[in-house]
Amino acid sequence: MLTQAHAHKAAFCTQFLALLLFLSGTLLSHSADFVVSNMTQLASSMGSLKPGDSLVLATGKWANVDLLFKGKGTPAAPIYLRAQVLGKVFLTGSSRLRISGRYLVVDGLVFSGGTQTDDHLIAFRESSTILATNCRVSNCVITNYPPAIAGQDTKWVSLFGYSNRVDHCYFAGKTNPGTLLVVWLPDNAPQTPNYHLIDHNRFGPRPPLGENGAETIRVGDSSRSFNISHTIVEANLFQDCNGEVEIISNKSCENVYRGNTFIDCEGALTLRHGNRCTVEGNFFFGHNKPNTGGVRIIGEDHKVFNNYFADLSGTGTRSALTFMLALTNSPLNGYFQVKRAVVAFNTFVNCAASLRIGVATTYDETGE
């Protein structure tokens, strides 16, 4: 016999199931693919995007396009800008991409064989005041995209805003001045971390520039080097990244570099400015090639542990592990004293200079 309690329970379950079905149907009704084949269609579709929707670029070449991807997704239902076929949408000519909004994902685009006319090829902002938050660039490629003016300083990826991510991308062939990927810190919030994540990317060959300003990654800059960034750079592969002595240039505080692999790179992961950073569980393989290095330490309260250094031939600033010599009353773009560094449980195998303490710089590395 169905009791009154059982009846109430059955009624509640029925109502709850109906609510779930309603919410599911509502969510599904908001999810749509907008396939576009030109900029006119793209612009008209942009304003219709809702959480869960995808703006799909048709397969082929998109030449000289200024892509501004705007929208407001949610954590559970981001908005996508994606290739119709992964790796088959090519951005060429003077194309660029700007991302502006919340919970946006760019997936599967290829920038190749173009000519960069803007300072930033991919920028996580619309303007200096309209930034991206919780946005992501994934499965994308940038190769051989020189500037229109020979020798001009350009950046391929510029991370502005907060909690953005670059992952599973491939970058190679940058030959002109300018860091490949930069984390920019805000001017008005020095103690507010931006919490970016750079992970599972492959950074391919970059030839030596012969001067400062050819880092693969830079987190911060000297003028904001005491700001907290709390960026994580993990599980990336760096191969033949030979632009200059700094493969990664840390220029802010409380960043984490872990689980990365460096193969045949003529330089070092450099804690150039800033304090309280962690370098953990990275692998450096030099195969005895000239100038291959490891980690360089400047500043206070850094932790460098559980790293593996093998067959590195670099010496001086490119030694396997280097403590730099400080400047008296150092300016922001100078060399601060190494203090309270914890360096432990690292392994050195067949390195030309495993550990150097008190190394002075041999050329100008001030830069940005």
Side-chain angles (χ1 to χ4, degrees):
M1 178 179 292
L2 186 65
T3 66
Q4 187 175 11
H6 287 150
H8 285 306
K9 184 176 181 180
F12 172 78
C13 291
T14 301
Q15 293 170 359
F16 183 68
L17 180 60
L19 177 61
L20 286 178
L21 290 172
F22 170 76
L23 291 175
S24 176
T26 302
L27 182 60
L28 290 173
S29 67
H30 286 172
S31 180
D33 287 353
F34 296 84
V35 181
V36 297
S37 57
N38 56 60
M39 289 300 292
T40 301
Q41 294 175 357
L42 186 147
S44 64
S45 299
M46 190 77 69
S48 303
L49 296 174
K50 297 180 176 62
D53 287 350
S54 293
L55 188 59
V56 182
L57 301 188
T59 296
K61 289 187 177 181
W62 290 66
N64 307 315
V65 294
D66 186 0
L67 290 175
L68 175 58
F69 181 31
K70 301 177 65 172
K72 294 180 180 178
T74 67
I79 299 173
Y80 292 85
L81 172 67
R82 60 180 177 85
Q84 188 175 33
V85 178
L86 186 67
K88 296 296 184 180
V89 172
F90 298 93
L91 284 299
T92 64
S94 60
S95 297
R96 67 168 179 169
L97 169 65
R98 289 173 292 157
I99 304 166
S100 172
R102 300 194 301 267
Y103 296 103
L104 305 176
V105 178
V106 177
D107 188 19
L109 307 184
V110 177
F111 289 80
S112 182
T115 302
Q116 188 172 350
T117 56
D118 189 78
D119 291 342
H120 316 281
L121 191 58
I122 298 177
F124 282 74
R125 69 176 185 182
E126 179 178 352
S127 66
S128 60
T129 58
I130 305 176
L131 310 178
T133 301
N134 292 112
C135 294
R136 180 180 178 187
V137 170
S138 185
N139 297 313
C140 291
V141 173
I142 305 177
T143 59
N144 305 312
Y145 226 95
I149 302 173
Q152 181 181 2
D153 184 308
T154 61
K155 277 70 176 175
W156 278 3
V157 180
S158 285
L159 279 160
F160 298 94
Y162 298 91
S163 300
N164 297 312
R165 182 182 180 191
V166 177
D167 67 284
H168 296 90
C169 295
Y170 177 63
F171 308 100
K174 193 174 194 298
T175 58
N176 63 298
T179 307
L180 191 154
L181 188 157
V182 181
V183 172
W184 299 92
L185 275 62
D187 292 316
N188 56 356
Q191 300 306 311
T192 302
N194 43 25
Y195 291 114
H196 296 311
L197 176 60
I198 303 164
D199 67 290
H200 295 90
N201 302 288
R202 180 178 178 183
F203 296 91
R206 183 173 188 181
L209 182 65
E211 60 184 81
N212 185 46
E215 307 96 328
T216 296
I217 294 177
R218 195 184 78 226
V219 183
D221 57 66
S222 58
S223 65
R224 302 171 184 84
S225 55
F226 288 106
N227 291 21
I228 297 173
S229 177
H230 211 295
T231 289
I232 296 175
V233 180
E234 67 178 350
N236 300 285
L237 173 63
F238 300 82
Q239 189 164 13
D240 295 303
C241 295
N242 304 330
E244 60 145 282
V245 69
E246 299 178 18
I247 307 164
I248 296 177
S249 184
N250 179 86
K251 295 188 175 181
S252 51
C253 297
E254 300 184 11
N255 301 309
V256 177
Y257 305 94
R258 65 186 175 209
N260 302 287
T261 300
F262 299 81
I263 299 176
D264 300 342
C265 294
E266 297 179 7
L269 191 169
T270 303
L271 303 177
R272 183 64 183 84
H273 300 304
N275 303 318
R276 304 182 302 281
C277 293
T278 299
V279 180
E280 172 192 0
N282 302 284
F283 294 85
F284 299 83
F285 300 106
H287 298 112
N288 296 310
K289 293 187 176 180
N291 299 317
T292 48
V295 174
R296 198 155 56 114
I297 303 174
I298 303 119
E300 302 180 6
D301 299 300
H302 297 307
K303 297 178 181 179
V304 180
F305 60 95
N306 288 341
N307 300 286
Y308 186 88
F309 307 90
D311 301 311
L312 303 174
S313 65
T315 59
T317 57
R318 300 175 195 249
S319 299
L321 185 59
T322 306
F323 293 78
M324 292 298 294
L325 188 66
L327 299 177
T328 302
N329 300 318
S330 177
L332 277 177
N333 64 355
Y335 285 82
F336 287 87
Q337 186 175 355
V338 178
K339 296 182 179 180
R340 299 178 300 276
V342 176
V343 180
F345 309 115
N346 299 289
T347 301
F348 302 88
V349 178
N350 192 34
C351 295
S354 295
L355 177 63
R356 291 292 182 267
I357 299 175
V359 175
T361 184
T362 56
Y363 71 99
D364 177 27
E365 296 179 71
T366 54
E368 292 178 278

